[in-house]
Amino acid sequence: MPDVPTATDLARAVQARETTPQALLDAARLRAEAARDLNALISLNDRAGEQAARVQARLDAGETLPLAGVPIVVKDNLNVRGTRTTCGSRILANYVSPYDAAAVERLTAAGAIIVGKANMDEFAMGSSTESSATGPTLNPWDPARVPGGSSGGSAVAVAANLTPVSLGSDTGGSVRQPAAFTGIYGLKPTYGRVSRYGLVAYASSLDQIGPFARTAADLALLMNVIAGHDPRDATSLDAPPAFRAGTPDDLRGLKVGVIREALGGNTPGVEAALKATLDALRAAGASVTEVSVPTVQHAIAAYYLIATPEASSNLARYDGMVYGERVPAPDAVTSMTLTREEGFGREVKRRIMLGTYALSSGYYDAYYSKAMKVRRLIAQDFARAFAGVDVLVTPTSPFPAFRRGEKMQDPLAMYAADVDTVAVNLAGLPALSVPAGFETVDGVRLPVGIQFIAPALQDERLVALAGGLEGIGAVKVEPAPGAEV
Ligand code: GLN
């Protein structure tokens, strides 16, 4: 199997005039066409050709661009001017973005070409990319299984090599978990590291944009482009990015803490991948200890009592008046009611009801306000753990990709799929899912991810670590069966 070119390779080749942005775009469109069955993309960007021409003109004028001509896909909750931004929902089926999200602006300024918009769970609520109005995305490792979610389309775009890199969003695990299920890297940066301007809000205090990639070098390349301060996002951090893929030297003396509470209930393949990763780290000179972060056991409960109230507020704007679809009716209230009834899917409605309930007078103290206290305890627990270690480790998910349909009728089982990821968002920390092995289930080889968590603002440490793990052969990235090359 030929080597799959990375974003780093492609930008270099374009800059060296070995290929052109237009040629890379044409090739990416052909691959997207050939992989239609996976349903990774909701739409293609009609203006990508114009973008390619603009990048070509800039190169001809002598500019050097870090992502020169690199084709990229972004999740369909990121606004790209002139494209439909549906968030996987019927209510936004025909909504066309009048502006670019900050992260998209930065990508295009760096020379990237936005090829298309990736499929996702409706409004980023889910762990399987089955709830999209456009239908489910399939996992290229086994089309009967989910790619994870909610950024499943972005993950599959990279795993199936439609594009070398992509962007997703992670509110409770939606970049890391699909990265684990499809065998690639997925990084959730520190809250505020990447501007949320132009990212359609799900739960604003948790949402963060993050990249998918196949190599640490590509993660560094992308983060150096998309991270940084933006005055249009009041929570955006003024932390100048300096990402680099590390080497095995970065592993020597590294203090790694395995979170004890994440050690139970994992499948044998997940346990084996965790053990192999820890053994490799020890062999490279890292120290590995077990640490307790007891409150993570309450993370799922707290998360759903914080995310759903925020969602219920954020989604109040879809009333058929300003954005998206409108069902006409003789009076405004009936029109709003019918619009929301027809426009939102089951899971979104469930969350609006849960969130409204948790915020309502009489229940606020018992639910929302309690969950906020638990959130603070979780953050304190992490801070305590980081007093003794440089990074924390857990599996990204207790199991590899599950079958389509398996959890759709059981919302609590679906919520539990994020047991290892949501605490990180509650604490605002950066975390990276590293493709670390495979587990054979019913005769099919499925990828397994291991999650590394760093203290706030230490995102760079995770990317350096990833490069180190690559250097010692502990990262297991392979082309998915049938991936286009
Ligand atoms: N699966 C979680 C949820 O449904 C996380 C989603 C996300 O990170 N966007 O809320």
Side-chain angles (χ1 to χ4, degrees):
M1 177 93 54
D3 264 0
V4 177
T6 64
T8 307
D9 295 335
L10 293 179
R12 191 207 49 79
V14 169
Q15 200 72 51
R17 305 304 166 104
E18 290 162 16
T19 183
T20 64
Q22 185 63 49
L24 294 185
L25 170 61
D26 292 343
R29 282 177 165 161
L30 285 175
R31 290 192 301 265
E33 184 57 39
R36 269 180 91 102
D37 289 355
L38 296 174
N39 203 24
L41 303 183
I42 290 183
S43 61
L44 290 172
N45 178 12
D46 297 334
R47 303 170 98 156
E50 287 167 39
Q51 284 181 355
R54 219 170 310 128
V55 171
Q56 188 64 56
R58 290 171 65 191
L59 294 169
D60 292 344
E63 274 191 68
T64 303
L65 301 169
L67 291 175
V70 172
I72 184 167
V73 155
V74 301
K75 190 175 180 177
D76 206 30
N77 56 357
L78 279 160
N79 281 284
V80 178
R81 195 162 62 87
T83 68
R84 282 190 303 132
T85 297
T86 73
C87 294
S89 181
R90 285 174 61 180
I91 212 159
L92 289 176
N94 296 303
Y95 174 73
V96 176
S97 299
Y99 71 108
D100 281 333
V104 170
E105 267 176 15
R106 282 172 172 268
L107 287 176
T108 48
I113 312 296
I114 315 289
V115 177
K117 310 288 292 293
N119 204 1
M120 57 185 281
D121 279 304
E122 186 176 6
F123 283 106
M125 299 171 186
S127 307
S128 66
T129 315
E130 290 171 285
S131 70
S132 169
T134 312
T137 295
L138 313 189
N139 190 324
W141 292 91
D142 178 0
R145 291 175 188 266
V146 305
S150 62
S151 313
S154 302
V156 169
V158 174
N161 193 35
L162 307 189
T163 55
V165 286
S166 66
L167 291 188
S169 68
D170 190 313
T171 305
S174 282
V175 167
R176 290 160 285 158
Q177 187 251 20
F181 280 15
T182 57
I184 56 176
Y185 286 110
L187 175 66
K188 182 259 178 221
T190 300
Y191 181 74
R193 201 81 207 262
V194 178
S195 170
R196 288 179 294 113
Y197 176 78
L199 169 70
V200 178
Y202 157 22
S204 314
S205 78
L206 301 160
D207 296 340
Q208 187 55 195
I209 294 167
F212 291 93
R214 228 183 274 103
T215 63
D218 274 8
L219 278 182
L221 178 66
L222 215 53
M223 284 306 293
N224 283 330
V225 167
I226 65 172
H229 181 64
D230 175 14
R232 296 164 300 182
D233 171 1
T235 61
S236 138
L237 296 166
D238 197 3
F243 289 86
R244 59 168 189 95
T247 67
D249 281 346
D250 289 279
L251 305 178
R252 207 167 304 131
L254 190 76
K255 290 191 228 114
V256 178
V258 187
I259 300 185
R260 183 173 305 143
E261 287 74 15
L263 291 176
N266 300 310
T267 60
V270 169
E271 276 182 18
L274 179 61
K275 182 171 181 309
T277 306
L278 297 175
D279 286 347
L281 278 165
R282 276 193 209 95
S287 66
V288 179
T289 53
E290 218 175 277
V291 298
S292 179
V293 188
T295 49
V296 297
Q297 296 169 93
H298 306 295
I300 288 275
Y303 171 84
Y304 280 96
L305 287 173
I306 290 169
T308 60
E310 291 190 28
S312 70
S313 308
N314 277 326
L315 271 56
R317 72 191 66 172
Y318 307 106
D319 55 7
M321 300 295 134
V322 183
Y323 303 99
E325 300 303 300
R326 174 193 306 196
V327 179
D331 66 278
V333 172
T334 310
S335 170
M336 284 182 204
T337 309
L338 292 176
T339 298
R340 289 169 70 84
E341 166 63 28
E342 288 184 20
F344 288 138
R346 282 175 72 88
E347 183 59 27
V348 173
K349 285 178 188 154
R350 173 162 30 238
R351 294 193 184 202
I352 291 171
M353 286 191 284
L354 274 171
T356 308
Y357 181 78
L359 287 178
S360 58
S361 100
Y363 296 102
Y364 181 96
D365 289 337
Y367 296 118
Y368 183 72
S369 141
K370 263 245 179 68
M372 290 299 278
K373 288 176 187 156
V374 173
R375 180 179 194 170
R376 195 174 58 236
L377 293 177
I378 290 173
Q380 287 169 354
D381 241 10
F382 271 116
R384 224 177 344 246
F386 280 124
V389 298
D390 301 314
V391 290
L392 289 165
V393 185
T394 73
T396 308
S397 160
F399 36 73
F402 48 89
R403 285 182 186 281
R404 217 160 347 106
E406 193 178 310
K407 299 187 195 291
M408 277 307 262
Q409 302 312 320
D410 186 353
L412 289 180
M414 189 70 90
Y415 297 174
D418 300 307
V419 64
D420 291 319
T421 49
V422 294
V424 164
N425 300 71
L426 290 170
L429 305 176
L432 175 67
S433 181
V434 174
F438 293 90
E439 175 162 19
T440 300
V441 181
D442 300 337
V444 187
R445 222 160 140 257
L446 300 171
V448 170
I450 298 298
Q451 169 176 248
F452 288 88
I453 309 166
L457 291 177
Q458 302 303 317
D459 314 34
E460 283 94 334
R461 191 179 292 173
L462 297 173
V463 178
L465 168 78
L469 289 171
E470 284 176 14
I472 59 170
V475 176
K476 313 289 180 196
V477 178
E478 290 178 18
E484 299 293 321
V485 284

